[in-house]
Amino acid sequence: MDIKKLLSQMTIEEKIGQLLQCGPSIYRNFEEIRWDTLRSGEIGSFIRVRDPEMVNKLQRCAVEESRLGIPLVFADDIIHGYFTNFPVPAAEACSWEPELARRTAEVAAKEARVSGIQWTYAPMVDLARDARWGRNSEGAGEDPYLASVFAKARVEGFQGDDISSDTHVAACAKHFAGYSACMGGRDYNSVEMSCQTLYDMFLPPFKSAIDAGVATVMSAFHDFNGVPCAGNRWLLRDVLRDDLDFKGVLISDAGAVGQMQVHGYTEDERDTAKKAMDAGTDIEMATFTYNHHLKELVENGEIPMEMLDEAVERVLDLKNRLGLFENPYIDVEKANSIGATEQSIALARECSRKSIVLLKNDNKTLPLNRKSKIAVIGALAGNEDDMHDVWSGKNKNATTIYGALKANNYDAMYAKGYDLKTDEVFIEDANRVANECDVILFVAGEGVNYQGFMSGEARNRSDIEIPKLQQKLLKELKRTGKPIVAYIFSGRPLALRNVDETVDAILWSGGLGTEAGNAVMDVLFGDYNPSAKLVWTFPTSNGQSPYFYNHNNTGKPPIAEIWYSSKYIDAPIGAQYPFGYGLSYTSFKYDNLQISSKEFSIDDVLEASVEVTNTGDCFGEEIVELYVRDLVGSMVRPVRELKGFDKIGLNPGEKKTVVIKVPIKNLGFHNQKMEYVVEPGKFMLYVGPDSASGLETEFFVK
Ligand code: NOJ
């Protein structure tokens, strides 16, 4: 399709139409759609049309009844699967296996595309540094390097080599920018951030997605240093377009353009349209300011026609790249018959078990003896919805923990224990079941049935412990004297100190999706030895948020015995579980850290090698993490920064040498003049099992 030629044939109304996205949340049901608006070419895209017949019906109207026959593009939030639900993104990232994320995104893309969705609003690449924020589970954790690696993998999985293929979709890196740093952890709240933090911490995952060819970017809801993102010219044009070199479509978040008036940044709807277009927002999701005012703004010369044309051209180009001009319709029969397959379910099980983190295992409580009689206690153990967490796809089926144990003939009894919906605790029933069994499997954490979702958009919490009623129940169960294994689900880092002090073993994961129960069962009995590691710091208590490992040192670093040091008087200094932490049923020993040289120049690649030995009695996989610290800088540098990792498998007694390469040019930061620099001087290098331990050595950059 000759896009330039098409553009030259369009009326101003048709152009503006390409910049409007509608969906069922606006036109509550499709019978209310203004078909005449579609016919006149004044709607460019739809969100969340999940009925394949409706996709074709709308498309037919746009293609066959509008003057120029420009196809619609259908978007949706395909976050961790459509028919096969994989673990939520942050859980999946705990595998530290980007290749897995690429494969699950690929399956999700295929299931969505066949169903009529050509554009997903994923991956979310916001760093998660504050446990209170509701959307931690949608990203890849708190570290910019790890999040960048996963951003690339997910974009590649969704988009493949060619988004016109009928198995891939356009991806969308969101939410630009700094969205997760909302004050107080309260979604949509203002963000105040230095440019250095923005560039060094929050932008790298966006840059990685852009370099991987992400087709679209979504701007965020909040005001960044006082200017709402949807109207933030500096952020959208100078940073995103110029610095990060993004050439694709930029869409606002739902309603975010209209909300600029509520922020108090625009006078009225007309002013809103002007500021959003001037700032560089191409598509306005879910509000109508362009539709109502852009024509007049262009005709008055307040918005240049070239600016409008550029935005429209990007949208047409996206449709062209998606192959929609040639293949606008979907095969409804195929769409209605598609579902999870044997392979996609096997992938979901593999991915789920690799997402489960072992946080504690006293006295080798786990793996469980297959002959044990297990008291499975907790509503989350038996409810399919709770297995998914936010943004589950079209198919809500899942194996639950109790369901999987029973289906595989394990000796298990179930007690709900507490009801998240009604807040009732059934202690007697739980005690009865516990007393009849050898071991208690206490399943708790955040569910989807507790005042609605407990994590997700706008699901912020000021209390990041497990719900109080679950704690009450756990205390009761402790009295039975039986060993307790806690399985905790959550969409955020939790403060698990009380749980840690009470139970013998803890497994944790985010929502695991379709194969949740089977995967948990695999881990409980040692058919899979847990290998996942945390992608967030788990604090010890509520008040420590925001808490992340790659913080600066301060001039008075926390030391328990020193009164005037940067700490709390009522909480420990360290994390409950640090970033990168996770145990195994076996143990690993790190020895002999070597570094390829003691001195490097900017173009060199550092090679660190370490010997890792499996010192336990079963096969295990270990994630080997490499961190650096730039000891003196013209800006204060973080105490540690992840710069590389590897994942290896070792048989009992086996030793492997792991080599991790780090380009020296990756050790830089933005200085006070906002120049990216790698400064000469001394660095520390750490290689180990998590962000708080490991072997260390030093090197110099000249
Ligand atoms: C609002 C959310 O912030 C965003 O992530 C999502 O893609 C849109 N709604 C569309 O559902």
Side-chain angles (χ1 to χ4, degrees):
M1 170 57 61
D2 183 343
I3 297 298
K4 289 248 187 276
K5 187 165 165 219
L6 178 61
L7 189 64
S8 70
Q9 294 163 351
M10 292 170 81
T11 63
I12 188 162
E13 289 84 358
E14 286 165 340
K15 289 179 183 174
I16 295 166
Q18 289 304 310
L19 310 185
L20 175 66
Q21 179 163 105
C22 297
S25 52
I26 302 161
Y27 296 111
R28 295 235 158 88
N29 73 62
F30 286 102
E31 295 321 307
E32 288 172 36
I33 288 175
R34 285 177 289 161
W35 291 92
D36 52 327
T37 316
L38 195 51
R39 233 168 255 127
S40 58
E42 288 174 80
I43 301 177
S45 54
F46 277 88
I47 175 175
R48 204 149 309 131
V49 182
R50 292 201 161 176
D51 168 7
E53 288 196 25
M54 184 51 82
V55 168
N56 273 353
K57 192 171 166 190
L58 292 164
Q59 191 69 294
R60 197 156 286 123
C61 181
V63 171
E64 291 167 30
E65 297 178 39
S66 75
R67 192 177 73 88
L68 293 170
I70 300 174
L72 297 163
V73 50
F74 293 88
D76 208 333
D77 291 276
I78 310 300
I79 309 296
H80 56 113
Y82 199 50
F83 290 103
T84 316
N85 282 307
F86 298 105
V88 290
E92 184 181 65
C94 291
S95 69
W96 293 54
E97 256 186 67
E99 175 56 16
L100 261 186
R102 195 195 57 74
R103 285 163 64 204
T104 59
E106 196 169 60
V107 173
K110 183 173 175 192
E111 292 180 352
R113 185 80 192 231
V114 172
S115 311
I117 297 157
Q118 302 104 12
W119 179 9
T120 180
Y121 293 141
M124 185 186 97
V125 299
D126 300 310
L127 280 201
R129 297 174 131 201
D130 190 327
R132 296 167 297 180
W133 185 52
R135 304 190 73 171
N136 279 273
S137 70
E138 297 178 49
E142 72 189 34
D143 179 73
Y145 175 76
L146 192 64
S148 300
V149 170
F150 273 88
K152 175 175 188 287
R154 289 185 169 132
V155 169
E156 288 172 355
F158 284 127
Q159 297 197 161
D161 294 334
D162 175 10
I163 53 172
S164 75
S165 87
D166 58 4
T167 51
H168 288 97
V169 295
C172 179
K174 67 186 187 184
H175 308 82
F176 200 79
Y179 175 52
S180 50
C182 41
M183 278 189 244
R186 199 153 48 80
D187 215 358
Y188 320 130
N189 202 6
S190 304
V191 170
E192 301 234 330
M193 187 185 284
S194 72
C195 284
Q196 284 83 359
T197 299
L198 176 70
Y199 271 77
D200 292 335
M201 297 288 175
F202 286 78
L203 292 187
F206 281 99
K207 179 66 180 145
S208 171
I210 290 165
D211 290 348
V214 74
T216 72
V217 165
M218 185 187 294
S219 60
F221 285 118
H222 64 280
D223 69 275
F224 183 89
N225 293 344
V227 182
C229 294
N232 193 323
R233 197 175 212 279
W234 172 77
L235 201 56
L236 304 185
R237 292 201 188 266
D238 300 1
V239 178
L240 180 64
R241 295 278 182 212
D242 295 347
D243 281 359
L244 303 192
D245 202 21
F246 175 62
K247 303 213 163 22
V249 169
L250 177 57
I251 184 165
S252 77
D253 204 336
V257 168
Q259 286 154 20
M260 290 204 284
Q261 205 180 324
V262 187
H263 277 280
Y265 182 65
T266 57
E267 287 278 342
D268 50 24
E269 219 194 30
R270 186 181 183 281
D271 190 30
T272 305
K274 184 176 169 187
K275 288 200 169 114
M277 179 49 40
D278 181 61
T281 298
D282 294 334
I283 298 184
E284 177 182 13
M285 190 200 301
T287 47
F288 294 84
T289 71
Y290 287 180
N291 182 279
H292 296 161
H293 303 282
L294 209 46
K295 182 175 178 209
E296 188 215 327
L297 286 165
V298 172
E299 285 172 353
N300 280 350
E302 288 175 72
I303 291 288
M305 180 62 99
E306 302 76 61
M307 194 182 264
L308 172 63
D309 281 352
E310 278 171 19
V312 177
E313 194 176 328
R314 284 191 283 263
V315 176
L316 295 175
D317 188 55
L318 174 67
K319 294 181 175 185
N320 197 26
R321 286 181 59 203
L322 283 164
L324 292 170
F325 285 96
E326 292 79 28
N327 297 305
Y329 303 117
I330 56 166
D331 179 340
V332 172
E333 214 174 292
K334 207 166 154 195
N336 285 333
S337 60
I338 189 180
T341 63
E342 218 176 284
Q343 292 91 324
S344 69
I345 288 178
L347 178 61
R349 188 161 177 170
E350 179 192 351
C351 189
S352 297
R353 51 199 213 170
K354 286 181 169 171
S355 305
I356 298 172
V357 189
L358 178 65
L359 295 177
K360 175 176 181 177
N361 195 17
D362 279 1
N363 308 317
K364 294 202 168 184
T365 308
L366 288 170
L368 296 179
N369 183 326
R370 287 179 205 276
K371 299 217 172 77
S372 307
K373 195 167 170 117
I374 309 163
V376 183
I377 299 171
L380 299 179
N383 179 15
E384 289 186 47
D385 291 345
D386 285 317
M387 300 299 102
H388 295 299
D389 203 352
V390 285
W391 296 122
S392 60
K394 209 171 175 181
N395 175 7
K396 313 277 183 217
N397 298 342
T399 57
T400 64
I401 297 179
Y402 180 65
L405 296 182
K406 286 318 272 180
N408 287 277
N409 298 318
Y410 283 104
D411 195 358
M413 293 175 77
Y414 176 69
K416 194 186 212 175
Y418 54 90
D419 188 319
L420 287 170
K421 255 193 199 146
T422 61
D423 264 7
E424 275 179 276
V425 190
F426 303 98
I427 286 177
E428 274 173 31
D429 194 29
N431 271 329
R432 181 184 55 77
V433 170
N435 280 315
E436 283 182 38
C437 295
D438 307 317
V439 58
I440 297 167
L441 176 61
F442 173 68
V443 185
E446 299 184 332
V448 304
N449 279 323
Y450 179 82
Q451 300 170 4
F453 287 91
M454 282 183 78
S455 77
E457 186 177 339
R459 300 291 169 187
N460 319 305
R461 293 179 67 200
S462 64
D463 178 356
I464 54 158
E465 296 188 351
I466 61 170
K468 294 284 177 283
L469 288 176
Q470 295 180 354
Q471 296 190 37
K472 179 175 169 193
L473 176 62
L474 182 59
K475 266 196 198 141
E476 285 291 328
L477 294 174
K478 180 75 178 166
R479 290 201 194 133
T480 64
K482 299 279 168 86
I484 305 178
V485 174
Y487 194 103
I488 309 290
F489 284 108
S490 69
R492 74 184 77 240
L494 293 176
L496 292 176
R497 181 154 52 145
N498 294 343
V499 178
D500 190 289
E501 284 168 2
T502 313
V503 305
D504 301 282
I506 306 178
L507 290 163
W508 173 88
S509 73
L512 294 177
T514 307
E515 281 293 286
N518 286 332
V520 173
M521 179 182 69
D522 291 343
V523 168
L524 285 176
F525 295 104
D527 293 320
Y528 182 75
N529 181 0
S531 60
K533 296 201 176 182
L534 297 177
V535 297
W536 308 302
T537 302
F538 275 47
T540 56
S541 56
N542 278 317
Q544 286 176 315
S545 297
Y547 196 169
F548 42 90
Y549 84 96
N550 46 4
H551 54 81
N552 295 346
N553 201 29
T554 81
K556 293 171 184 275
I559 298 173
E561 306 73 44
I562 298 185
W563 185 255
Y564 290 107
S565 72
S566 180
K567 59 183 176 13
Y568 296 102
I569 56 169
D570 56 359
I573 297 161
Q576 183 73 40
Y577 310 114
F579 171 83
Y581 173 84
L583 302 172
S584 162
Y585 294 153
T586 187
S587 47
F588 300 100
K589 193 164 162 277
Y590 285 67
D591 293 297
N592 200 13
L593 174 61
Q594 301 281 343
I595 187 164
S596 50
S597 167
K598 276 286 167 203
E599 205 176 75
F600 299 94
S601 10
I602 178 94
D603 295 324
D604 291 342
V605 175
L606 172 159
E607 276 187 31
S609 71
V610 71
E611 288 168 8
V612 185
T613 312
N614 180 342
T615 49
D617 51 14
C618 61
F619 171 83
E621 289 159 293
E622 170 68 343
I623 297 160
V624 179
E625 304 165 29
L626 182 151
Y627 297 87
V628 298
R629 177 171 178 184
D630 181 352
L631 286 174
V632 179
S634 62
M635 302 280 300
V636 175
R637 310 303 310 128
V639 292
R640 275 196 186 197
E641 293 180 278
L642 182 74
K643 292 293 171 187
F645 62 89
D646 196 6
K647 189 172 179 180
I648 51 163
L650 291 171
N651 287 312
E654 194 184 357
K655 173 162 85 179
K656 272 188 191 159
T657 300
V658 176
V659 178
I660 302 176
K661 295 183 182 178
V662 182
I664 298 296
K665 67 173 172 8
N666 290 1
L667 305 185
F669 61 92
H670 286 82
N671 66 13
Q672 292 181 52
K673 292 187 199 150
M674 283 304 291
E675 299 152 340
Y676 181 81
V677 288
V678 180
E679 290 182 341
K682 185 169 164 185
F683 287 70
M684 293 303 296
L685 179 129
Y686 309 87
V687 179
D690 57 59
S691 62
S693 61
L695 303 174
E696 57 182 75
T697 185
E698 59 187 43
F699 64 92
F700 294 83
V701 170
K702 48 181 187 198

